Amino acid sequence: MSDIGVNTDSLFVSANDKLGRSDFQGALEEMNKAIMLKPDAETYSFRGAIRTAIEDFKGAIEDLTIAVTKRPIAEAYSFRGIAKMGLGDVKGAIEDYSTAISLNSDDSRGYYLRGSAKVNIDDYAGAIEDFTQAINRDPEDAETYFSRAVILLKTGNKREARVDFLKTRALGKDVPDDVLALCTS
């Protein structure tokens, strides 16, 4: 317990509660207090994630850079990549997603995020490869099937795109009939 009557565990719980109620500013204030008490990688990483959510990308990058300097955390690299994308730094984002993958290659999110970033630089083959790796790790993620289907269709692989769009539907995500029709025309 500190002299202000709180500890970092209670601040994390309070911040999580506030996030659950979409009170991002309140969550950020709790993490500001937590950093004063315990300026470690996890605390900076959590505040950086909140800053990413409220699109304070510069602040997020600052926090997440401090976090990964203190201790390499895959999730912190992923959030920093999202913040870099928000600022238009696609190359930097891809580098961060690659580092996140190297730290936790079982997490589908890193592959999905990197694939999405590769789409922004027209690296469709790389995006398809990353989306496939994400699907291999989480075969129930409709969003990843949909993303891969869009790129497959864009690159002329209509049959494969149709399979992915149908899988997307089977997993509960809406795919309009006119989109499926593009796979047969």
Side-chain angles (χ1 to χ4, degrees):
M1 247 346 140
S2 76
D3 42 338
I4 58 172
V6 292
N7 65 36
T8 55
D9 290 340
S10 66
L11 290 168
F12 271 88
V13 169
S14 178
N16 268 322
D17 178 59
K18 290 175 191 252
L19 285 174
R21 292 183 280 120
S22 297
D23 178 6
F24 296 104
Q25 191 58 44
L28 186 60
E29 289 168 10
E30 296 295 77
M31 294 315 299
N32 289 340
K33 294 175 197 171
I35 283 175
M36 297 291 285
L37 297 171
K38 189 177 180 187
D40 66 1
E42 288 75 15
T43 310
Y44 275 103
S45 182
F46 193 10
R47 188 172 75 175
I50 295 168
R51 285 181 160 176
T52 301
I54 62 173
E55 297 184 2
D56 173 10
F57 298 129
K58 289 181 181 179
I61 290 169
E62 288 172 13
D63 280 352
L64 296 162
T65 299
I66 292 168
V68 300
T69 300
K70 289 179 176 284
R71 187 169 70 80
I73 303 170
E75 188 175 60
Y77 279 103
S78 290
F79 276 109
R80 193 172 74 173
I82 293 167
K84 287 180 178 180
M85 286 294 295
L87 294 176
D89 181 7
V90 178
K91 182 178 178 220
I94 290 171
E95 289 171 4
D96 277 354
Y97 299 144
S98 295
T99 301
I101 291 166
S102 73
L103 292 169
N104 184 4
S105 63
D106 293 330
D107 184 21
S108 64
R109 180 177 165 86
Y111 289 100
Y112 176 79
L113 291 169
R114 188 173 70 182
S116 296
K118 287 179 178 179
V119 169
N120 283 278
I121 58 170
D122 299 333
D123 178 4
Y124 301 129
I128 290 168
E129 183 180 322
D130 280 343
F131 292 145
T132 300
Q133 290 297 322
I135 288 167
N136 289 342
R137 285 154 180 79
D138 184 3
E140 302 300 311
D141 184 3
E143 190 62 39
T144 305
Y145 280 101
F146 184 83
S147 295
R148 186 174 71 177
V150 168
I151 301 308
L152 287 167
L153 184 60
K154 185 173 185 76
T155 58
N157 296 305
K158 292 181 179 183
R159 187 173 346 124
E160 292 175 46
R162 181 173 176 76
V163 169
D164 276 3
F165 281 133
L166 291 172
K167 181 66 175 181
T168 300
R169 264 191 182 172
L171 291 170
K173 181 175 172 61
D174 184 47
V175 177
D177 288 335
D178 57 334
V179 172
L180 275 175
L182 295 171
C183 298
T184 57
S185 60

